[in-house]
Amino acid sequence: MVQPTPWQARLQTPQQKGKPLVRHASRTLRHLVGASIFLPRFHAMLVQLITATGCVLLLLVLFQPWIAASGVDGKVDSNAFGTLHITTSLVSLWSSSPPHRAAISGTWGILTGLSALGGLCTILANLRTQRALGSYAVATLTAAAAIFSSATLLYLNSKSGDLKSMLGSGPALDLGTQAGLIIRWMSGNGDYPVPGLHKVSYSTARLTGWAMLAATVSILTAATSINRPLRNDLFERIRSIRYSLAPAIQSPSRLDSDITHEQDPDHPM
């Protein structure tokens, strides 16, 4: 192809000089359209992977100790379902008024587990269909799991006093309590409590790191799953813009012919 001489290049019309810019704009628009098709799929798979991982992790953490307490006669902890694990020497076994067992319900933990399990099953069922209804269902279930896990934390924290009282030794002047303290001291499982003789440290019941991890995971999982429907709406708007701009996405030859028509006023219409 013969290149134009310098003086011919200066004589080019503005329409001819604008051809490369038009081609570049057309290619850029095609790249944007391709990105609008690929990005929703990639975003959907990434959100599903993160949400499924969060649901599985939350289900596993539910069986770990969420609250723990220690006292004179041992230590105790409970998971989200209200299952107690107690280590004690039964000092107050013969006491006339032994400490009462803490009554902890596992309702909130069960609701949390069902919500997380439902969200995980919905993700697996929606892998192939990728329907918007499935995304909204996952977002609802994970949001419910976050609410229920937070309610579980508050409920278990309200039971901290009952857990702490389980580890008491009973009335100090009770004969059964004194017999238990003496037997424990003679068997080497602990010291006999004498006022002013030994230093004793106490701690209140506390929520464990597993409980904080569960609350954090549930909230982040819910935020991730809720973000997907919002992104879907954004990508739908991008698609609508794409369809409205579809006539502008033309081949370079079509663009050249259009420019030629503009240059030649005698060209037949």
Side-chain angles (χ1 to χ4, degrees), residues 47-215:
V47 168
Q48 288 177 346
L49 177 61
I50 295 175
T51 306
T53 303
C55 291
V56 171
L57 184 59
L58 181 59
L59 288 172
L60 295 177
V61 172
L62 288 175
F63 295 93
Q64 301 299 323
W66 279 41
I67 187 170
S70 60
V72 178
D73 196 26
K75 58 183 180 179
V76 60
D77 59 63
S78 173
N79 59 17
F81 302 109
T83 303
L84 299 177
H85 180 264
I86 308 171
T87 303
T88 179
S89 57
L90 299 176
V91 169
S92 59
L93 180 63
W94 295 342
S95 176
S96 59
S97 57
H100 297 286
R101 181 181 179 274
I104 299 180
S105 174
T107 303
W108 291 112
I110 293 174
L111 291 175
T112 304
L114 290 177
S115 300
L117 182 61
L120 180 61
C121 294
T122 306
I123 292 172
L124 297 178
N126 199 41
L127 281 177
R128 297 188 62 182
T129 59
Q130 296 293 333
R131 294 182 178 178
L133 181 61
S135 301
Y136 286 107
V138 172
T140 302
L141 289 171
T142 52
I147 294 173
F148 291 147
S149 63
S150 301
T152 306
L153 284 178
L154 296 176
Y155 173 74
L156 291 177
N157 189 59
S158 67
K159 294 293 182 178
S160 59
D162 296 340
L163 288 175
K164 184 71 176 180
S165 64
M166 289 180 60
L167 305 174
S169 58
L173 300 180
D174 186 85
L175 294 179
T177 301
Q178 291 297 321
L181 291 173
I182 293 173
I183 293 173
R184 186 183 68 175
W185 169 65
M186 294 180 63
S187 60
N189 292 326
D191 298 326
Y192 184 83
V194 178
L197 184 61
H198 300 288
K199 289 183 178 180
V200 181
S201 61
Y202 294 94
S203 62
T204 59
R206 68 191 186 280
L207 295 172
T208 64
W210 293 109
M212 299 304 177
L213 177 63

